[in-house]
Every structure is written in C-alpha cells, then in structure tokens.
C-alpha cells in the first residue's frame, strides 16, 4: 500500500479539492484504519462490495484488489471525476453518481448476483456523518440481500447501535439494529486519522445480517412504533410512556399486560429486551 496521507494530499492539490463540510467529507489518511476496515470485512473475489461515499477513493483502492466487483455510490460530482481517472483501468469498478438514499440497492444486488454469480454482497463505507442513521436504517429496513455492513460512524452513534437491548447505552435504534443484525465494535478511530479532522471520535462497526429474526412478532411495524413511543419518553415509566402515547388504551390495560408478562409496573423502556417488546406487541394486537 502506498502512503495514504501523501496520496490524499496529492489528489486534493491536483484537483483543487476543499473538503465539503455539508457533504460530511472527512477523508481517511490512516493506513492502519484502512487495513482494518478491509480486513474485518473479509472480502473475497466472490463478493460484490458496495461502497457508499468513496470520496477520493482511499478505501476503494484496497477494496478493488480484494473484491469481485466494487460499486461506488457518490453524491459529489467532483469526486466522480477523480474516481473515474483513478480507477478506469480496473474492470471490477463501477460508479453511480447519486444520493445513496435514492438508489435501488435491492435491484442492483439482485442483478449483479444473477448476472455475475457473486456469492454475497457486502457494504463497506466511511459514512458521511450527517446522514448516518437514515443510511443504516435504509440498509436494514429495505431487507437487502446483504451479508454484512462495515461502516465508520460517530462513536456515540456506534455505541448505541451495537448496544444490547435491555442493557446500557440503548435507544430505540438499538432494537432495530438487533432485530436485523448482530453487531460488533471493531475499532475506535481518533480524529487525526482524517483530513479535515471531524469534531467527534469515530468508530468502525460491523453488522452481520441475521438469516432469521430473533423474535416472533405479529407486526414488525407496530413493534417498532411501540419502541419509538416508549423511548420518546424514556425518563418516564414504560407504563406512563405507553399510556400517554395511547399504545395502552388505559393505565389499567397497561398494568394488566405488564403483569401478564411478569414486568414490574415501574419498569422503564431501557430495561426491556426485544423479546419483551415483541410480547407487548403480540398482546396488544390480540386485544384489539
Ligand atoms: N470514503 C472516503 C474516505 O474514507 O476518505 C470519504 C468518506 S467521507 C466521510 C463521506 C463521503 O460520502 C464523501 O465523499 C461525500 O461526498 C459522500 N456523500 C455525502 N452524502 C452522500 C450521499 N447522500 N450519497 C452518497 N455519497 C454521499
């Protein structure tokens, strides 16, 4: 691998690039971090890799060596030109100029798998931090035919995503991630691993998509609405939060359900497991 810092400085100078803050542009300059991201993604020539926000192509370069094909999705036109110049000789490189939130990833993965026979598809990215959550939720909720998602994001968000429901540092999103994937923290990344330095510490996490959901629930959508309602008023007891938001028709109904599930009446949202929320959902849908 050549020197990532020198390459980055050279490309930025050659193309007169100033990082665009509003597009979340913080370019990686640490070889160790690039290596670690690629290594923990366990990429082989049988894999299709989709990279979101390739920027100047620092990660892309290593991904192209390992993967069967790399499809990059980048919003900034200036980066498209750089990437085309840099990687036009690679036959396994493709770039899509678009906002990732508007791309039909399902179709791309299906077509590529059918046409080229890739065994699995993986997402790898140093994400733009201003839309971390919408991107991750899209990747999970669209139920893409993916094996894993390896991303660098803000540490604070990362810790919430990889937390275990019912334990510390959870939020409503913890339950969504847990429903769709198993999650692990890979590496904390200091601010000086980027140009320009972001204002927050970063962390690489890996989500491995589950083949089967971990709980049985009558309606996934209703369950996630209940979880959202519970966490909107997380300082209140679950009973009050769900009564206030009309998930429970009355306090009495709520008390009855909590009792049937052996949950204390003072329990708070963050004390519940995903199984608990699935059970509450199933009870409410039966009672309707
Ligand atoms: N991968 C490069 C690296 O590690 O040095 C750049 C990462 S930078 C944190 C995020 C990249 O995402 C930028 O290149 C930015 O232009 C791009 N980006 C921002 N919003 C995007 C969107 N909605 N869709 C696709 N790419 C986007």
């Amino acid at each position: 691998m050549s020197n990532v810092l020198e390459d980055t400085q050279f490309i930025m100078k050659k193309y007169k690039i100033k990082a665009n803050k509003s597009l979340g542009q913080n370019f990686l300059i640490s070889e160790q971090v690039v290596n670690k991201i690629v290594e923990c993604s366990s990429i082989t020539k049988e894999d299709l890799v989709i990279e979101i926000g390739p920027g100047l192509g620092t990660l892309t370069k290593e991904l192209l060596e390992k993967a069967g094909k790399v499809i990059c999705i980048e919003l900034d036109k200036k980066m498209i030109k750089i990437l085309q110049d840099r990687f036009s000789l690679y036959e396994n490189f493709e770039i899509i100029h678009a906002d990732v939130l508007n791309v039909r990833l399902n179709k791309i993965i299906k077509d590529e798998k059918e046409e080229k026979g890739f065994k699995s598809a993986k997402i790898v990215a140093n994400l733009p931090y201003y839309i971390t959550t919408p991107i991750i939720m899209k990747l999970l909720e669209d139920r893409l035919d993916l094996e894993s998602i390896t991303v660098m994001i803000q540490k604070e968000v990362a810790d919430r995503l990889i937390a275990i429901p019912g334990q510390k540092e959870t939020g409503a999103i913890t339950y969504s991630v847990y429903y769709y994937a198993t999650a692990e923290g890979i590496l904390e990344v200091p601010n000086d691993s980027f140009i320009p330095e972001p204002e927050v510490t970063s962390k690489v996490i890996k989500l491995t998509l589950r083949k089967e959901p971990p709980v049985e629930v009558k309606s996934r959508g209703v369950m996630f609405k209940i979880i959202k309602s519970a966490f909107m008023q997380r300082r209140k007891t679950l009973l009050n939060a769900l009564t206030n938001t009309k998930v429970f028709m009355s306090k009495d109904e709520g008390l009855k359900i909590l009792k049937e599930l052996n949950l204390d009446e003072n329990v708070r949202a963050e004390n519940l497991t995903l199984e608990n929320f699935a059970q509450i959902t199933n009870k409410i849908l039966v009672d309707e």
Side-chain angles (χ1 to χ4, degrees), residues 8 20 22-29 34 37 51-60 73-77 79 96 98-103 125-131 135 152 194-195:
T8 306
N20 184 336
S22 62
L23 285 178
Q25 289 181 351
N26 300 96
F27 303 116
L28 250 178
I29 50 164
V34 171
I37 293 174
E51 188 192 3
I52 300 166
L56 306 171
T58 306
L59 259 173
T60 320
I73 302 170
E74 172 60 60
L75 184 57
D76 186 351
K77 207 171 158 197
M79 302 296 148
I96 298 173
D99 178 339
V100 66
L101 295 177
N102 297 330
V103 176
N126 171 15
L127 285 182
Y129 293 173
Y130 74 104
I131 43 168
I135 293 177
M152 169 122 64
F194 306 85
I195 310 183

Side-chain angles (χ1 to χ4, degrees), residues 84-101:
Q84 277 165 345
D85 287 355
R86 238 186 134 175
F87 303 124
S88 60
L89 292 180
Y90 283 83
E91 283 180 1
N92 59 343
F93 171 72
E94 186 181 325
I95 184 140
I96 298 173
H97 180 204
D99 178 339
V100 66
L101 295 177

